[in-house]
Amino acid sequence: MSAVLIALFVSLIGCLLIIRFQHLHKHVTGDTDLSGVQKFHTKAVPRIGGLPIFIAIGSALIPRWTNDLNVASFATLLLVSALPCFLTGLLEDLTKKIGAKERLVATMVSAAIAGWFLDAWLTNVQIFGIDWILSIPIISMIFTCFCIAGVANSFNLIDGYHGLSSAVAVIILTALGYVAFQIKDYPIMVCSLAGIGAIVGFLFWNYPRGLIFLGDGGAYLIGFWIAELSLLLVLRNPTVSKWFPLLLCLYPIFETVFTVYRRVVLMRVSPGLPDASHLHQIIYKRVVRWAIGSTEVETLTQRNAITAPYLWLLSSVAV
């Protein structure tokens, strides 16, 4: 449990410092664009919540170097692998000039690094015919990078309301950590616990008031973290079905597939073009906004926070 507590404390304090001194950096770190079609907040908010989460996960691993080198080396390699996607997302949070394609490519690079150092290549999906194709190394590598990037991007897509993406990540990491504990895969268990602690520390400030946002750096980081842990869990433990992680991530994956279909097939626009038709936005418009009709700022924040639990429940059903 030390991994949870250390990550929780570091993330909690890190987010507090960002919020407390936002007057010094908000012109760079703040999400000041309030007019975007996918925007639902009413004032500029720091969007670098991924930074304390990254630092918190790294801090939780420090004690492992003195008592469990196997866990420490595994987790450190995974965290180092996450650097390209995290830093690219963080750069977008700071400059607002990094496109979706660049972020996806960076996430694929992270997946390739993890695949190389941790032998994390998806070579079968328990489907006859496809498994034969995936036995070809280059196809397996490309397919793995594509899947990891897709899952990571899905957490960025669902990051639309206070506590939504981060709480869904905690739910999924709890399931991964529990199964890893059951089958005694302690490196994956510790990484899951560190992720839970770091995200909960962020959630304390993000939900329900939205004092700090994940940003692209945070969303891609937790998406990559979950995707790699899911992949490594089934690769290192053949008794775990390849379909288990897919079921855990059913909600964010469905959101990604539906978004691509909606934009490319129905709207005939670029899949990277933002819109306001995500599942969480539909719930906000059709259910929450109808139930709470006031347009006062305090009520808007309340409506924002009430939206997320509907999707937490959906994700919990899959778990």
Side-chain angles (χ1 to χ4, degrees):
M1 292 300 292
S2 63
V4 172
L5 297 177
I6 293 173
L8 174 62
F9 177 78
V10 172
S11 179
L12 198 68
I13 299 302
C15 289
L16 172 61
L17 292 175
I18 290 174
I19 296 168
R20 175 62 182 81
F21 296 104
Q22 62 179 302
H23 62 281
L24 300 176
H25 57 76
K26 190 164 62 175
H27 62 287
V28 177
T29 65
D31 192 354
T32 55
D33 178 15
L34 307 181
S35 61
V37 67
Q38 80 279 25
K39 305 292 185 177
F40 285 87
H41 55 289
T42 57
K43 63 180 180 178
V45 177
R47 54 180 285 179
I48 54 170
L51 183 59
I53 290 177
F54 184 88
I55 295 173
I57 293 175
S59 300
L61 304 178
I62 294 176
R64 298 291 164 177
W65 286 103
T66 61
N67 55 30
D68 197 331
L69 291 179
N70 180 44
V71 172
S73 59
F74 173 90
T76 301
L77 285 173
L78 187 58
L79 193 61
V80 170
S81 300
L83 277 172
C85 73
F86 167 65
L87 291 177
T88 303
L90 184 62
L91 189 61
E92 157 63 12
D93 296 329
L94 298 175
T95 67
K96 289 78 174 175
K97 295 181 180 179
I98 309 299
K101 291 181 180 179
E102 289 80 1
R103 282 173 272 149
L104 284 173
V105 169
T107 309
M108 289 183 178
V109 171
S110 287
I113 295 173
W116 179 265
F117 286 110
L118 297 171
D119 195 25
W121 304 115
L122 188 58
T123 56
N124 75 84
V125 292
Q126 297 177 334
I127 299 178
F128 180 76
I130 295 180
D131 288 349
W132 179 84
I133 297 174
L134 290 178
S135 66
I136 303 172
I138 186 63
I139 294 180
S140 173
M141 293 176 182
I142 294 173
F143 183 72
T144 300
C145 293
F146 175 80
C147 290
I148 297 296
V151 173
N153 183 62
S154 71
F155 280 86
N156 188 49
L157 285 177
I158 68 171
D159 185 29
Y161 290 102
H162 303 164
L164 178 51
S165 182
S166 47
V168 168
V170 169
I171 292 169
I172 295 173
L173 284 171
T174 301
L176 289 172
Y178 173 74
V179 172
F181 170 74
Q182 290 283 56
I183 58 181
K184 296 180 172 56
D185 193 328
Y186 296 119
I188 291 181
M189 183 190 75
V190 170
C191 287
S192 298
L193 291 175
I196 291 170
I199 298 171
V200 170
F202 161 83
L203 262 171
F204 180 84
W205 302 105
N206 174 255
Y207 190 85
R209 296 178 61 194
L211 299 177
I212 186 172
F213 292 161
L214 272 178
D216 289 282
Y220 275 95
L221 172 62
I222 64 176
F224 174 81
W225 198 252
I226 287 174
E228 283 294 344
L229 289 178
S230 299
L231 176 60
L232 288 163
L233 181 67
V234 298
L235 291 179
R236 291 157 56 97
N237 305 279
T239 54
V240 180
S241 169
K242 299 295 190 299
W243 295 95
F244 169 65
L246 181 65
L247 183 59
L248 289 185
C249 300
L250 184 61
Y251 161 51
I253 290 175
F254 169 80
E255 183 67 78
T256 301
V257 174
F258 180 65
T259 297
V260 172
Y261 170 76
R262 181 177 68 249
R263 293 175 182 173
V264 175
V265 178
L266 299 182
M267 301 173 63
R268 300 187 183 278
V269 297
S270 168
L273 190 68
D275 61 30
S277 299
H278 294 293
L279 182 57
H280 54 268
Q281 292 163 332
I282 293 173
I283 290 176
Y284 177 87
K285 295 174 183 177
R286 302 294 177 83
V287 180
V288 178
R289 192 166 62 181
W290 173 82
I292 305 176
S294 173
T295 58
E296 296 179 4
V297 172
E298 293 79 6
T299 307
L300 289 175
T301 301
Q302 181 185 6
R303 288 198 319 211
N304 190 315
I306 290 176
T307 304
Y310 288 91
L311 284 311
W312 298 348
L313 179 60
L314 177 63
S315 187
S316 298
V317 170
V319 171

